[in-house]
Amino acid sequence: MAKELTQNEAKGYFGEFGGSFVPPELQTVLERLDEAFQTYQKDPAFMEEYNYYLKEYVGRENPLTFAERWTKALGGAKIYLKREDLNHTGAHKINNVIGQILLAKKMGAHRIIAETGAGQHGVATATACAMMDMECVIYMGTEDIRRQELNVFRMELLGAKVVSVDKGNGRLKDAVDEALNDLVENYETTFYLLGSAVGPHPYPKMVHYFQSVISEESKRQILEKEGKLPDAVVACVGGGSNAIGAFSAYLKDEDVRLIGAEPAEAATLTEGVPAVLHGFKCLCLQDEDGNPAPTNSIAAGLDYPGVGPEHSALKLSGRAEYETVTKAEVLDAFQELSRTEGIIPALESAHALALVKKLAPTMTEDQIILVNLSGRGDKDVAEVKRLLEE
Ligand SMILES: *Cc1c(COP(=O)(O)O)cnc(C)c1O
């Protein structure tokens, strides 16, 4: 994507990570976006509207459920589940989508573009566009369209136009490039809605802001239920949006351990090296030639060779810890939560659960683990059936 690189040192860095490595014409568009975000973030009417839709459309606040049977089964720390799976569309992604769409409206855009790999961000975006009466164009690699037929149909039902990208490998990266080209051409009417805590500045900070509702709620809820903060907060990490939302309100509470779970097959924070990817600097998995390495996670939402710049910085500073879990551990946790709690988790979320399964027994009964259940697993049952039969 980057032809001439410009680097904005002043803004958008988390330690050495983040920034904005994009062509000059895109830099101008991003600066305009940052200004608008800074303005509306402080505007009480904007935040009132955002909170209105979170309540009336998304269904917040969602519960913090005590996982009583699972806690007993594991024997150790008390486990609480933050129920992002109960949001409209079944995951945390909608929190950010609502925030960015409202910002787009304020900026005078009537057309939303987004890219999607597995289709989950595309579906959340198409959903909110239908409700807000915005034109919606979703860029998707040809290969991903083939693999995600049902999500493509969902997006079309919701009134979105799905554009097939057959450049490159026909995957997420190629869809990102096409979406960015569209944005540079049509920035006066068009808003690029990014789905995770990645990308050039100001996206990581914006997504952090719109997802922080997760931990603002959970902190209030745990104090109400237990009268103290949790000992650990656990979340899965793909690009890092549900994790940063789950960690945000606890960042300054040094006694609360913040732990991210990533797939052994896409262990960006564990094995990555600093590099520039998709317009920002982060820890990144590379092959021998320095290109982004292919990843192979069973959870589509975690299958990305990069990760948000803020997580990259939290890893280096040691404020957050990141651990890998294996495919077998994930499948085991997926089934165990279903059986003990009657909740089928998303495969992504099952990565966090797999880590909790190892962590809880090492802790005492008066300690608390809060795990972010980022999404529900209905979308994954066919895949899990296939994997278990293998
Ligand atoms: C997309 C997705 C993720 C991964 O994205 P993050 O930005 O890392 O949160 C995790 N869980 C679910 C349910 C998802 O849909």
Side-chain angles (χ1 to χ4, degrees), residues 91-93 120 195-197 236-243 301-302 346 348-349 374-375:
H92 68 288
K93 287 200 172 70
Q120 289 147 245
S196 188
C236 65
V237 183
S241 71
N242 89 88
L302 306 182
E348 290 84 359
S349 319
S374 57

Side-chain angles (χ1 to χ4, degrees), residues 76-80 222-223 226-234 247 250 253-259 319 321 359-360 362-371:
K78 254 178 138 168
I79 303 163
Y80 281 89
I222 198 73
L223 287 172
E226 294 280 350
K228 61 175 182 179
L229 294 179
D231 295 275
V233 177
V234 179
F247 293 172
Y250 304 99
D253 300 311
E254 296 282 342
D255 292 337
V256 179
R257 284 176 72 187
L258 304 175
I259 315 176
R319 176 62 192 98
E321 308 154 55
L359 183 65
T362 69
M363 294 168 67
T364 58
E365 283 173 20
D366 59 351
Q367 291 186 300
I368 299 166
I369 301 175
L370 200 155
V371 54

Side-chain angles (χ1 to χ4, degrees), residues 95-107:
N95 304 327
N96 167 55
V97 166
I98 295 282
Q100 287 194 43
I101 282 206
L102 287 174
L103 185 60
K105 277 200 146 172
K106 297 286 183 199
M107 292 177 73

